[in-house]
Amino acid sequence: MNQNFIIEDKTVTITDSVLKFFIFVTVLLPTGSIFGVNLKMLSLGAFLLLLILVKKNIVILKTVFSLVPVALFLLAASLYSFIIYKYDSSYIFFQAKDIFVFFLMFYILMQYARFENKYQYIADTIVKSLYYVGLIKIIILLYSFYIGVPVSFVILNISDFLNVPIMTYDIEDTYISRINFTSDLIIPISIFYLLMKFYRRGHSKIDTFMLIIILFSAFITMSRFQWAFTLVAIIFAILLNISNKKSFITLLFLTSLAFLSLTFQSVQEALLARFDEKLVSASDLERIIQRQGIEQAISEAPLFGNGIGYYIPNLIRSDLAKYSYELQLHALIMQLGFFGFIIILLMILIPLIKSANGLSLNMFICYSGLVVIWISSSLFNPMLFSSSAGVAMALFYMISKLPWLRHHSSKYI
């Protein structure tokens, strides 16, 4: 029997539980560390050790094998960069690490799902972790309201504590403020998954509640791209199930929720502030300045780039990661050249395209559209290479492999 049609193994082992904790830490904590303890590395180490103890070394071996092309490419890119690099060479290691961690996160989840038939378990775990992120955002808003300080003050303290920047800004006359975590880019994919689950597996109160919390989490990202991505994900889910009467119920529910939300002045103020002409112009101007500088650097080394970790000294977005730019795709071409950029792009797309083999035409089109939009997010924010981005890629893979998403037949439910 084709592995795509095997009934999901619903037993939860201690290995599953440790993996679940690893995913939670990755999504909830931007750096994976708290009080100086790297929980992400500890939980990953515990997970790998358990795989060895229960004699499931094949998952580790397959993950290592899958990472060989990534490691070889990054090694070659790093050696080339050391030869031609003009500035602080330590950033070669930091950017190479970011890219490697992204692929490591994807492949460890992918291989475990394949060999343990845990596609839905991992997908549900990822979605639940985003639900907890949404709850954390709500707690931050309520806490700032309770003690009477701006949300940005709380966020900046959290950023200092975790030693990682979290995007935020306050909106006058309201306690709804921007809270944008690195893991927020997974939100539209999770909403697509939850809606498809509602259409094809049935309705549950907890799933509905999680959907509402995650939708609110998407709203307070205050990201126009996130809003557009979320809307597209909703539309795709409805279109794929247009003949299902539940699609009308969903449309009615979401429309009612949207109109109800618009009756609150705080929501109106947030929308007006996000589309304020001055704010939009300032944001767009910053990207224009970045693009001009990056395109000039690309023209100096178009084929092989200026080196991994390269940055423009008079155009630095972050002192913590000088190679990081909002126009991440442009920056990758600047750093790796068109040759290296195409290789990286293929290493992302090939596993997802292969996993989509066997999807219906309509599902394949929507699935591919969401993947393209996800990758294009790096035209606006540097979120493509991180452990949470690896989780996003893994969720795409899980979605493409779930029998009840690939087929309508009830025997897979």
Side-chain angles (χ1 to χ4, degrees):
M1 181 181 287
N2 189 311
Q3 68 172 358
N4 291 330
F5 306 139
I6 299 174
I7 300 299
E8 177 83 12
D9 184 357
K10 294 183 179 180
T11 59
V12 178
T13 65
I14 187 171
T15 312
D16 296 332
S17 299
V18 172
L19 179 63
K20 186 175 189 176
F21 180 75
F22 174 52
I23 293 171
F24 278 8
V25 168
T26 300
V27 174
L28 269 66
L29 296 176
T31 61
S33 299
I34 189 167
F35 299 116
V37 179
N38 195 321
L39 294 177
K40 191 190 302 182
M41 292 304 298
L42 284 175
S43 55
L44 176 60
F47 174 66
L48 295 176
L49 180 61
L50 278 171
L51 287 176
I52 295 171
L53 291 175
V54 297
K55 303 185 186 304
K56 293 177 180 176
N57 309 54
I58 185 66
V59 176
I60 299 175
L61 292 174
K62 283 290 186 179
T63 301
V64 171
F65 181 75
S66 299
L67 287 169
V68 167
V70 178
L72 290 176
F73 170 76
L74 291 176
L75 179 61
S78 298
L79 290 174
Y80 169 75
S81 302
F82 273 114
I83 294 171
I84 68 162
Y85 211 64
K86 302 174 184 177
Y87 309 114
D88 187 348
S89 60
S90 65
Y91 290 109
I92 294 173
F93 167 77
F94 289 125
Q95 187 172 19
K97 184 199 72 173
D98 290 347
I99 296 172
F100 185 80
V101 166
F102 162 75
F103 283 106
L104 171 64
M105 193 72 207
F106 166 68
Y107 279 115
I108 195 72
L109 295 180
M110 182 196 102
Q111 297 296 354
Y112 188 75
R114 283 183 61 202
F115 287 98
E116 294 301 304
N117 193 32
K118 295 288 184 177
Y119 300 113
Q120 184 160 329
Y121 178 81
I122 292 176
D124 286 340
T125 298
I126 293 170
V127 171
K128 189 170 289 186
S129 66
L130 288 169
Y131 160 69
Y132 288 135
V133 169
L135 290 179
I136 289 171
K137 291 181 181 181
I138 292 172
I139 291 170
I140 291 171
L141 292 175
L142 292 175
Y143 176 74
S144 65
F145 175 77
Y146 178 74
I147 65 174
V149 299
V151 173
S152 62
F153 178 81
V154 179
I155 294 297
L156 290 174
N157 277 280
I158 294 173
S159 297
D160 290 340
F161 177 71
L162 296 174
N163 194 31
V164 64
I166 300 174
M167 285 185 282
T168 184
Y169 60 75
D170 297 313
I171 299 170
E172 293 183 8
D173 304 323
T174 175
Y175 274 92
I176 291 183
S177 300
R178 182 178 198 179
I179 307 176
N180 196 183
F181 285 27
T182 306
S183 57
D184 284 344
L185 196 57
I186 315 173
I187 287 176
I189 313 167
S190 68
I191 289 173
F192 176 79
Y193 170 77
L194 279 173
L195 288 175
M196 293 296 290
K197 188 178 180 182
F198 169 64
Y199 294 136
R200 301 191 179 182
R201 299 217 75 183
H203 167 74
S204 72
K205 292 180 180 178
I206 183 61
D207 283 344
T208 302
F209 186 67
M210 284 199 296
L211 177 63
I212 293 171
I213 296 297
I214 294 173
L215 282 169
F216 179 74
S217 181
F219 174 69
I220 61 173
T221 63
M222 296 295 165
S223 165
R224 289 170 293 163
F225 178 86
Q226 290 272 33
W227 292 349
F229 192 3
T230 300
L231 182 61
V232 170
I234 293 170
I235 291 171
F236 280 1
I238 291 174
L239 288 177
L240 284 169
N241 300 275
I242 195 68
S243 60
N244 189 327
K245 64 180 181 181
K246 290 181 180 178
S247 63
F248 174 75
I249 296 172
T250 307
L251 188 61
L252 184 64
F253 170 74
L254 292 176
T255 303
S256 301
L257 188 64
F259 276 110
L260 179 63
S261 301
L262 287 171
T263 61
F264 294 97
Q265 186 177 353
S266 55
V267 174
Q268 296 173 22
E269 293 290 341
L271 288 171
L272 290 172
R274 195 60 192 94
F275 289 101
D276 179 78
E277 188 175 340
K278 291 181 180 178
L279 183 63
V280 171
S281 297
S283 178
D284 291 343
L285 179 61
E286 184 177 342
R287 292 192 179 96
I288 290 170
I289 294 171
Q290 282 187 23
R291 188 179 68 224
Q292 291 172 344
I294 291 171
E295 287 177 352
Q296 175 61 37
I298 291 173
S299 66
E300 294 171 2
L303 191 57
F304 297 106
N306 293 277
I308 192 169
Y310 177 83
Y311 60 91
I312 303 169
N314 62 347
L315 196 63
I316 295 172
R317 176 183 173 273
S318 168
D319 289 327
L320 294 174
K322 294 182 179 180
Y323 55 84
S324 177
Y325 292 93
E326 283 188 303
L327 301 175
Q328 191 177 21
L329 286 187
H330 294 73
L332 277 174
I333 297 172
M334 172 183 72
Q335 291 148 353
L336 302 174
F338 284 101
F339 182 73
F341 171 74
I342 290 171
I343 291 176
I344 281 285
L345 198 60
L346 288 175
M347 286 194 293
I348 294 172
L349 289 175
I350 287 174
L352 295 179
I353 292 172
K354 287 176 66 177
S355 72
N357 182 38
L359 292 178
S360 67
L361 179 60
N362 290 340
M363 182 64 180
F364 180 79
I365 291 171
C366 291
Y367 175 82
S368 301
L370 292 175
V371 169
V372 170
I373 296 172
W374 168 64
I375 293 174
S376 69
S377 67
S378 51
L379 291 169
F380 305 95
N381 288 295
M383 295 183 179
L384 185 57
F385 294 115
S386 64
S387 53
S388 57
V391 173
M393 186 172 170
L395 182 54
F396 272 122
Y397 182 86
M398 305 307 149
I399 287 172
S400 70
K401 288 297 184 180
L402 285 168
W404 53 268
L405 274 168
R406 298 173 72 89
H407 301 273
H408 284 281
S409 177
S410 60
K411 70 177 181 177
Y412 305 123
I413 297 178

